[in-house]
Amino acid sequence: MSTALPAHGLSTAQLGSELFIANGTLRSLTNPKWEEHGFHIRPTLTAAATTPATGNLTSAKTYKYKAVFEIEDVAGNIHRSEPSESVSITTATSTASPTALGANITPHYPYTPTNKLSSRIALYRTQAAGAIYNRVATLDNSMSTYSDLISDTNALTGEFLYTEGGELPNTAPISCWYVTAHRNRLFIISENNRIFFTKEYEQTIGPSFVDTFFVPLDGMDHDKPTALASAGGELIIFREESIWSISGDGPDNTGTGSYFTPRLITSSLGALKGTPTLFSQEGLFFQSPKGIHALTAEGPQYLGAPVEDEVGADRIIQIFQDQATETIRFVMSTKILVYNHLFKQWSVDKPAHLSSNTIVGGMLLDGTPHYLLSNRHLLKDSTGFKDSTTYIPLKMKTGWIAVENLQGFQRIYRFLLLGESKDKHVLNVKVYYDYDD
């Protein structure tokens, strides 16, 4: 089993105040550490009627119980499992006054959920001979048996089980390698090349998947999905040989409704597997097998021609925008390609102190570009002329200056450089002619 990072980098997304990462399993920053998102198991219960010294259940009635695993993340969102199967008890016929009837409920863990040691069990119960579940207790992982002595009147004050009213039960996300956020939902690409999505995110409730929430696409075997991007009201689906989009609100928590039928944008261009994406006013940036492109209202535009030699067969691992400098940063393992979208010009930044290390990620932090190295060092953009004690070399290359053809007989004999000296430097100028460089 390989522990190396994938060539395309790790796919991340933020929804609400929570950060998600897809690296075979979907993980979220649920506690002060990364944990598998959702619950892959649900509780099981056993129940037995009792006649305690004090108890407030109704005589000769049936009560049903269900339980849910839940955990609260650092942002205050509650994540819940699929409810357990229902178990029931029937209280004894009692002529005593007052009636003293109860139930012992024992939760069972098929196994301790990995990294879910801080989870708890929410216990729900019906009223006598009823069908609606209300919360009656919260059990921690150390509790073996709970004695239910609560009257129907008090039980009615508990919150409803979330599936009351028809909401579909939560399920664990399938193994996946790509994640993005779009219109208050998470979308993932699974290991078997299907696109699943969550219920719509609600404040204080963590996003949850449902087995039946997926995007139907034809031809998945020969034109696999490779990346996803949120572009305004549309979700863009990149595939190996084509680009598609879907729009609409999607189904509600009960499964009512759907997205519109996927719409083909182009069948002449696809995207590399796992390419990062960036949506801005300039378009949707991504890496295709042909290079760096932007998807605009006019269709895909090839922007990477001036730096195609710098890209070569390498992969872009991160794309982010620096609005202060009006640039888009394309992060690669040994360099950063910088596109100024105002002047439509490219530059290449090669950090001087990489040594044998590589760049593994980049982002805008407090308005300044930062880059993380494989040795866990963090590089920060500076407005100075030095990288530590070493001057930063700057190379500029113009395009060929085309004058009139032979008939016009124009020639260039001299040129001038106009600028302002900021510090000590050595200026070297190389001139090429006759289109021979």
Side-chain angles (χ1 to χ4, degrees):
M1 179 182 294
S2 174
T3 58
L5 293 174
H8 50 73
L10 294 176
S11 176
T12 62
Q14 184 172 347
L15 183 59
S17 301
E18 197 165 4
L19 185 63
F20 299 84
I21 186 171
N23 63 340
T25 58
L26 185 66
R27 295 180 178 271
S28 59
L29 201 57
T30 303
N31 279 318
K33 60 182 179 180
W34 291 101
E35 295 186 350
E36 287 188 23
H37 182 67
F39 291 86
H40 292 265
I41 59 174
R42 60 179 180 170
T44 58
L45 299 174
T46 55
T50 62
T51 54
T54 60
N56 297 289
L57 275 64
T58 304
S59 170
K61 296 294 183 182
T62 298
Y63 289 87
K64 297 178 181 179
Y65 295 84
K66 286 186 178 182
V68 170
F69 282 129
E70 65 177 30
I71 190 170
E72 184 175 351
D73 64 31
V74 292
N77 297 313
I78 301 297
H79 300 259
R80 300 178 295 207
S81 73
E82 181 180 2
S84 69
E85 291 286 350
S86 174
V87 297
S88 63
I89 61 103
T90 299
T91 54
T93 300
S94 176
T95 59
S97 180
T99 301
L101 298 171
N104 282 346
I105 309 301
T106 304
H108 300 277
Y109 295 81
Y111 61 90
T112 300
T114 304
N115 292 333
K116 299 290 186 182
L117 297 180
S118 57
S119 65
R120 58 190 182 235
I121 288 182
L123 183 65
Y124 297 83
R125 193 197 80 193
T126 64
Q127 288 74 54
I132 297 176
Y133 290 84
N134 294 88
R135 188 167 183 151
V136 293
T138 300
L139 316 179
D140 61 34
N141 283 337
S142 63
M143 183 174 289
S144 57
T145 298
Y146 169 73
S147 182
D148 179 22
L149 309 174
I150 298 176
S151 68
D152 285 355
T153 302
N154 288 335
L156 278 170
T157 64
E159 67 181 32
F160 293 119
L161 179 62
Y162 73 88
T163 53
E164 298 290 355
E167 180 172 340
L168 297 174
N170 302 331
T171 57
I174 194 170
S175 296
C176 61
W177 52 268
Y178 202 96
V179 59
T180 196
H182 173 67
R183 297 192 65 179
N184 274 340
R185 300 181 194 257
L186 289 179
F187 286 75
I188 61 172
I189 302 178
S190 69
E191 294 290 353
N192 61 351
N193 301 309
R194 298 182 73 186
I195 300 172
F196 291 87
F197 55 89
T198 64
K199 300 174 183 177
E200 193 167 2
Y201 170 74
E202 300 176 30
Q203 191 70 28
T204 74
I205 302 297
S208 302
F209 286 84
V210 177
D211 285 341
T212 56
F213 282 9
F214 62 90
V215 178
L217 284 175
D218 295 329
M220 301 286 276
D221 293 333
H222 68 272
D223 191 12
K224 299 179 178 64
T226 56
L228 304 169
S230 179
E234 293 187 303
L235 177 76
I236 305 301
I237 302 172
F238 294 98
R239 302 172 71 171
E240 292 175 331
E241 300 174 357
S242 59
I243 303 175
W244 298 70
S245 75
I246 62 170
S247 58
D249 295 328
D252 63 20
N253 289 353
T254 68
T256 303
S258 65
Y259 287 105
F260 295 122
T261 302
R263 176 179 66 89
L264 177 65
I265 296 176
T266 178
S267 58
S268 60
L269 182 70
L272 290 177
K273 180 178 179 179
T275 177
T277 62
L278 174 71
F279 179 64
S280 72
Q281 291 182 342
E282 310 303 316
L284 176 59
F285 295 89
F286 65 98
Q287 186 181 15
S288 81
K290 301 175 183 178
I292 298 174
H293 284 74
L295 186 62
T296 68
E298 290 74 35
Q301 307 293 320
Y302 182 42
L303 302 180
V307 290
E308 60 184 17
D309 291 339
E310 293 287 347
V311 176
D314 292 340
R315 296 296 304 268
I316 294 167
I317 59 175
Q318 197 80 41
I319 308 174
F320 66 92
Q321 185 174 18
D322 182 5
Q323 293 184 345
T325 59
E326 298 180 311
T327 56
I328 308 292
R329 309 294 178 102
F330 297 83
V331 183
M332 304 178 71
S333 60
T334 59
K335 68 191 80 170
I336 301 102
L337 308 181
V338 183
Y339 177 65
N340 187 297
H341 52 78
L342 178 63
F343 297 104
K344 313 299 181 186
Q345 295 292 322
W346 285 91
S347 60
V348 182
D349 184 6
K350 297 181 179 180
H353 298 289
L354 280 182
S355 184
S356 59
N357 300 301
T358 58
I359 304 172
V360 296
M363 67 178 297
L364 200 67
L365 183 62
D366 293 332
T368 302
H370 287 68
Y371 305 97
L372 181 64
L373 304 186
S374 54
N375 63 356
R376 300 184 181 180
H377 289 181
L378 192 63
L379 300 183
K380 177 182 177 180
D381 261 15
S382 170
T383 57
F385 301 100
K386 291 183 178 181
D387 185 354
S388 185
T389 59
T390 305
Y391 279 96
I392 301 172
L394 175 65
K395 296 181 180 180
M396 299 179 63
K397 182 179 180 180
T398 71
W400 286 103
I401 302 174
V403 296
E404 284 288 339
N405 54 30
L406 291 177
Q407 184 176 359
F409 202 69
Q410 291 184 357
R411 296 292 185 269
I412 295 176
Y413 293 99
R414 64 176 62 88
F415 63 88
L416 298 175
L417 293 179
L418 180 63
E420 181 180 351
S421 178
K422 292 288 188 180
D423 205 343
K424 295 179 181 179
H425 65 278
V426 176
L427 178 65
N428 295 315
V429 179
K430 295 181 180 180
V431 179
Y432 301 88
Y433 57 93
D434 291 342
Y435 297 98
D436 182 10
D437 58 358

